[in-house]
Amino acid sequence: MSSVLRIALQKSGRLSEDSYQLFKECGIRFDYGTGKLKSVSSNFPAEFLFLRDDDIPGYVEDGVADLGIVGENVAVEMGRQVQTIHKLGFSKCRLSIAVPRATDWTGIQCLEGKNIATSYPNLLGSYLTEQGVRAEIHEISGSVEIAPSIGLAEAVCDIVSSGSTLLSNGLKEVETIFRSEAILIAPNELSKEKQELVDKLLFRIKAVQVAKNNKYIVLNAPNDSLDQITALLPGMKSPTVTPLATEGWSSVHSVLNENEFWENIEAIRAAGAEGILVIPIEKMIY
Ligand code: ATP
Ligand code: ZN
């Protein structure tokens, strides 16, 4: 029987939409939603399992799944024997310590002997040990941010993205202990056949990610400033330059990293470029 990659994704939550979107952009089709637990791709040797994110590292460690997408926070907290294959750049968040707004915070040593509520006892425990602080960790599985107001703890350690949940619960963020994003994990050992499929998938994921960071740029330039402008637009090999119908002008096409674009745009304009178009790229393969 030929190999099929089993890929575990979060069924519904903050990782789901971007995970589904990633496979879509990689051209891998499968059905999801409406309470499905499993789905087979119609055009790639992959089968998808839809699970709670907390269960994914365990399924991957046991080899029930060959790949999984989870937050780095969950992967590290669970401490399972899995390898990180690739960072995916979405579901970015941080794990932070927060205290009631009125607390006079002078540093992490303020937590000495205090109670801290969290769903991440391992990550918090390692951080406190590293900092030489002894505190009582209370593990709770949800609504951590209400712990101080009900007298359960003097501080919390929770996931933050914008900080608005903390604010609305009268808390202030005082220390970030971990930064997370979605990652692709795999068992430490994969068969040769599965590894080949993983490599094929990774090739596609990287092409999608690189494309997102780059833009296709088209502009008109007076011929006498072409050297100056093309030097600012190196492109994948070199820019394409074609003459315009208007005498003395050319059209320049190139690919540019989005950050470089913003850094160079003034110089490009100052050199006489006009009619600058910046176009998203769908896939990019070097
Ligand atoms: P499940 O029901 O699958 O157990 P959950 O409630 O434990 O889901 P979610 O809230 O969906 O988990 O979060 C999943 C992951 O998304 C987190 O582990 C974290 O990596 C990331 N995450 C959490 N909160 C945010 C946020 N506000 N912004 C971006 N990413 C986040
Ligand atoms: Zn969860």
Side-chain angles (χ1 to χ4, degrees), residues 139-169:
E139 183 177 357
I140 51 179
S141 59
S143 304
V144 169
E145 63 283 352
I146 63 160
S149 63
I150 59 172
L152 182 69
E154 287 93 4
V156 301
C157 176
D158 204 5
I159 293 289
V160 183
S161 61
S162 70
S164 59
T165 310
L166 292 180
L167 273 181
S168 61
N169 282 283

Side-chain angles (χ1 to χ4, degrees), residues 218-227 229-230 240-253 272-275:
V218 180
L219 56 83
N220 295 330
N223 287 346
D224 52 13
S225 55
L226 273 177
D227 287 348
I229 290 176
T230 53
T240 309
V241 180
T242 47
L244 284 187
T246 307
E247 188 71 27
W249 283 76
S250 296
S251 167
V252 179
H253 296 222
E274 288 178 7

Side-chain angles (χ1 to χ4, degrees), residues 6-8 49 51 56 59-68 186-187 190:
R6 282 190 134 193
I7 306 174
L49 309 177
L51 304 165
I56 293 176
Y59 276 76
V60 171
E61 181 184 58
D62 297 342
V64 174
D66 306 307
L67 283 179
L190 276 169

Side-chain angles (χ1 to χ4, degrees), residues 78-133:
M78 299 264 164
R80 299 292 191 145
Q81 294 302 307
V82 295
Q83 50 169 328
T84 300
I85 298 260
H86 199 62
K87 294 200 178 207
L88 298 172
F90 56 81
S91 299
K92 286 194 173 166
C93 58
R94 54 193 189 272
L95 187 62
S96 288
I97 295 173
V99 295
R101 251 198 313 268
T103 309
D104 188 15
W105 182 262
T106 52
I108 193 74
Q109 67 285 354
C110 293
L111 294 176
E112 184 72 31
K114 297 283 179 4
N115 298 294
I116 314 171
T118 188
S119 307
Y120 296 89
N122 295 326
L123 276 165
L124 175 60
S126 322
Y127 182 78
L128 292 177
T129 306
E130 231 171 68
Q131 300 291 320
V133 172

Side-chain angles (χ1 to χ4, degrees), residues 10 12-15 51-54 71 73-74 91-93 120 159 161 180:
Q10 188 187 26
S12 97
R14 293 178 193 269
L15 295 159
L51 304 165
R52 287 201 58 188
D53 67 340
D54 318 58
N73 53 318
V74 167
S91 299
K92 286 194 173 166
C93 58
Y120 296 89
I159 293 289
S161 61
S180 176

